[in-house]
Amino acid sequence: MLAYYFKLAVRSFRRNRALSALMVLAIALGIGTAMTMLTVLHNLSGDPVPTRSNVLYHPQVDPRPANLEGADPEPPDDLTWQDALNLYALPGASQRTLTSSNWLPMRADVENSPLTMVTTRAATADLFEMFDIHFIHGAAWSQREDDDRAQVVVLTRTLNDRLFNGANSVGRNLVIATRNFRVVGVIDDWNPRPRFHDVNSGAFARPEQMYLPFFTWMELPQDYGYGPMRCWSRGGGGGHDPKTPDCSWVQFWVRLDSATQAAGYLRMLENYSVQQQQLGRFQRAPNVRLRNVIDWLDHKRVIPATVRMQTWIAFGVLLVCLVNAVGLLIAKFLRKSGEIGVRRALGASRRAIFLQCLTESGLVGLIGGLAGLPLAWLGLWLVRQQPMSYAGSVQLDLPMLAVALPLAVCSAVLAGVWPAWRAAGVSPALQVKSS
């Protein structure tokens, strides 16, 4: 029976082409607009590290003065130098990493190699396995190399292509901030969106191009900063002294493989805060947090408010388009009153007429959805031309393609409910008599 209804819908579509085209255009415009912003929202709110997000946690402690005016009840996002060292030395986590970033001057250790500034991430050895970063050449440095302040470096594929034409560069040398470094590995380009590990540097900023051991990086001539530094002393302190006690800047992540392990680590953070309070370093009662990746991103609200607002506006446009489609469907179905009356007189039930009209609405939605996809691609292209940090990463992926057509069909069917109900209520006697 559904095939028969579909056949009638195709005939009706061909018979009233102008009216059908207007309905398709209304649905296409609504779907194109809604899918553009829904895709942007989807891209920005995805899981940046799906294989690890439920076991990676971001610890926070609160070393701020008790009388700090206007203090946020939340502890600082990052750690001070002393707390970073202390927490890094604590047991309880399967893996842990200290990390931060800056720009460093770099050139290849060959004659006439140009000096260039490169975005750099400093980290301890566990970072690569913790964050599921894949190597294409070599491997990460070891914990012993961390401890020995080894001058080694890991490159990204992009930087390796630029410096060594994509060849295996393991064992080659670079001069970084006047020091000689040996390449030990090359990773595939890694750019999680959002950048969960360093949202204060920009949740959708460009990725770093090379990675250095954290403690080796600390011993470089530091005229280049230490990433985002938040200070609470009156002087703002710390600009060139990362070890000042009143500035937080070190990002710290731990891997906790079970809820029991996470609960135990949280208790350890509380005990650590009590201990530091007894030593006179902390003035506040224990104020700690331990959030996994998704909770951390939710807390930081990494999705721009404008994107959420524009998404609501886009669905408002879809609603307006559907209201227009309702009017056009009513006009189309009522123009077929004579045909509907004859079918009713021949024994068709109201239910059959209702389903026939909904099938026709669904066909309009299907065609409108197909026509809306190019409009969504155009909308996303326009988004990518905007000067926003997240613009370059916005793409219409398979999940969004799978959403587009069902959304169009369901929207059109819902828009067709009232017109179909009106059409099913046509009196057969009056229509047959008037004809």
Side-chain angles (χ1 to χ4, degrees), residues 58 61 74 120 158 172 175-176 212 241 267 342 349 431:
H58 182 64
V61 296
E74 286 286 327
T120 305
T158 297
R172 301 288 294 270
V175 178
I176 302 172
L212 302 182
D241 183 10
R267 287 193 299 272
V342 171
S349 65
Q431 296 302 322

Side-chain angles (χ1 to χ4, degrees), residues 203-261:
F204 302 98
R206 294 182 178 178
E208 292 82 11
Q209 300 179 63
M210 65 183 183
Y211 295 75
L212 302 182
F214 186 85
F215 297 108
T216 303
W217 174 78
M218 284 293 298
E219 294 178 355
L220 292 176
Q222 288 291 337
D223 296 326
Y224 315 101
Y226 297 88
M229 184 175 285
R230 307 291 175 88
C231 301
W232 46 85
S233 64
R234 285 190 175 275
H240 294 283
D241 183 10
K243 299 180 182 180
T244 184
D246 55 2
C247 292
S248 63
W249 60 274
V250 183
Q251 294 116 39
F252 184 52
W253 286 86
V254 295
R255 176 171 176 169
L256 306 170
D257 294 319
S258 67
T260 301
Q261 191 177 16

